[in-house]
Amino acid sequence: MRVIPAAVHRILDFVTVLVFAVAPSVFNLTGTPALLSYALAVVHLVLTLLTRFSHSASGMVPLRVHGMIELLVGVALALLPFVLAWDGMARTFYVAMGVVILVVWALSNYATPGAHADA
């Protein structure tokens, strides 16, 4: 059931950027987990700013492509701590963010209103 409209999803994307940006300080992440969190904040911000969230909005990235990227990122974040053998708060943070991104993905409507074919 896709109950999150594109406009709300856009706001949630900006919240996600903020979470990734402050996570190293709030959750005491250091080293690679901290650097990755800052990088993800920048990448997610750029993706959000470049996404066409409505038929009248400008943006180079179709909303459906944005959704596919988020699906891949959600899965990657949930698995990354196990692949890299992270433990403690780094593991908890990245698994939780992966799950949150996947839940938002599952609930979001990636069909741009009024558009013909985004992908």
Side-chain angles (χ1 to χ4, degrees):
M1 179 163 54
R2 305 285 181 152
V3 296
I4 299 175
V8 174
H9 184 98
R10 185 171 191 259
I11 293 167
L12 294 174
D13 279 346
F14 286 117
V15 171
T16 301
V17 169
L18 182 62
V19 170
F20 278 124
V22 302
S25 297
V26 172
F27 300 114
N28 205 22
L29 302 177
T30 59
T32 302
L35 290 174
L36 181 59
S37 188
Y38 291 131
L40 286 167
V42 171
V43 169
H44 206 88
L45 177 61
V46 170
L47 177 63
T48 300
L49 293 174
L50 292 177
T51 297
R52 187 172 50 249
F53 281 94
S54 71
H55 68 285
S56 62
S58 62
M60 299 184 320
V61 178
L63 189 55
R64 288 182 192 265
V65 173
H66 179 107
M68 288 185 276
I69 292 169
E70 286 187 337
L71 172 60
L72 294 173
V73 168
V75 171
L77 290 179
L79 296 176
L80 186 68
F82 301 100
V83 172
L84 298 179
W86 291 347
D87 58 4
M89 189 51 71
R91 176 182 284 184
T92 303
F93 173 72
Y94 280 98
V95 169
M97 286 304 293
V99 169
V100 167
I101 288 171
L102 289 172
V103 167
V104 170
W105 174 85
L107 295 175
S108 291
N109 183 356
Y110 289 102
T112 306
H116 298 295
D118 282 338

